[in-house]
Amino acid sequence: MVLRGISYYIDFENFAEGREKAMTPVGDTLANVMLKKAVYDYKRNYAVLKKIGITSDVIEDDTMLAAYLLDPSRNKYEIEALANEATGAEASASIPEGWTENQWRTAEAADFTIQTAPVLRKRIFEQGIDKVYREME
């Protein structure tokens, strides 16, 4: 079961105990092969994380890739639109107090990704294209 509205934002640069203290558990979590992970645009995120020494090779779902496979004629694959179509989730019209817009939108995108991934995965299995999905780069 996926709960809506549950995601976190970790500010590595301003982490009270220092960047390394925040990065180590995040890196360990992402490297843990026992945990299922979903991303939006794995290639882009892999490159960013690799630059800071974090790798995550075991990804169960890439919502952007899944959406492309399900509808290659579409011209845009923004996570907000995918989440809305898959789950009815909508982007917040306002930024909560204590958050910057970037922090909030990042956490919101993470939430949308985890909500959308199982819906798209189910559609892929229903269409019988799961082998293609698993083997795509």
Side-chain angles (χ1 to χ4, degrees):
M1 180 173 158
V2 175
L3 300 176
R4 289 184 175 196
I6 306 296
S7 60
Y8 300 92
Y9 179 87
I10 300 170
D11 185 345
F12 290 133
E13 297 305 319
N14 297 306
F15 196 72
E17 296 176 32
R19 179 184 174 110
E20 288 304 314
K21 192 77 168 177
M23 287 179 57
T24 300
V26 170
D28 291 347
T29 300
L30 291 175
N32 187 333
V33 297
M34 302 302 289
L35 298 175
K36 295 179 179 181
K37 296 170 249 353
V39 299
Y40 172 83
D41 193 358
Y42 174 70
K43 284 187 176 185
R44 181 182 59 113
N45 286 300
Y46 178 83
V48 170
L49 290 172
K50 188 175 179 182
K51 285 181 183 179
I52 60 172
I54 295 176
T55 59
S56 181
D57 295 327
V58 182
I59 301 296
E60 183 175 32
D61 290 296
D62 180 334
T63 53
M64 189 173 87
L65 189 60
Y68 173 78
L69 189 58
L70 289 164
D71 185 2
S73 64
R74 185 181 185 132
N75 62 0
K76 291 185 179 182
Y77 297 91
E78 288 98 354
I79 189 59
E80 296 84 2
L82 298 175
N84 182 264
E85 292 165 14
T87 70
E90 293 187 13
S92 177
S94 60
I95 308 303
E97 188 175 329
W99 291 76
T100 67
E101 182 166 4
N102 182 59
Q103 291 169 339
W104 179 252
R105 297 300 175 205
T106 299
E108 188 175 59
D111 182 41
F112 288 164
T113 298
I114 202 66
Q115 289 182 56
T116 304
V119 175
L120 298 182
R121 184 179 341 106
K122 182 177 183 239
R123 291 177 186 168
I124 284 171
F125 276 93
E126 289 171 350
Q127 291 187 22
I129 54 177
D130 50 298
K131 184 176 184 210
V132 174
Y133 180 56
R134 286 190 315 267
E135 294 176 1
M136 286 181 81
E137 276 190 25

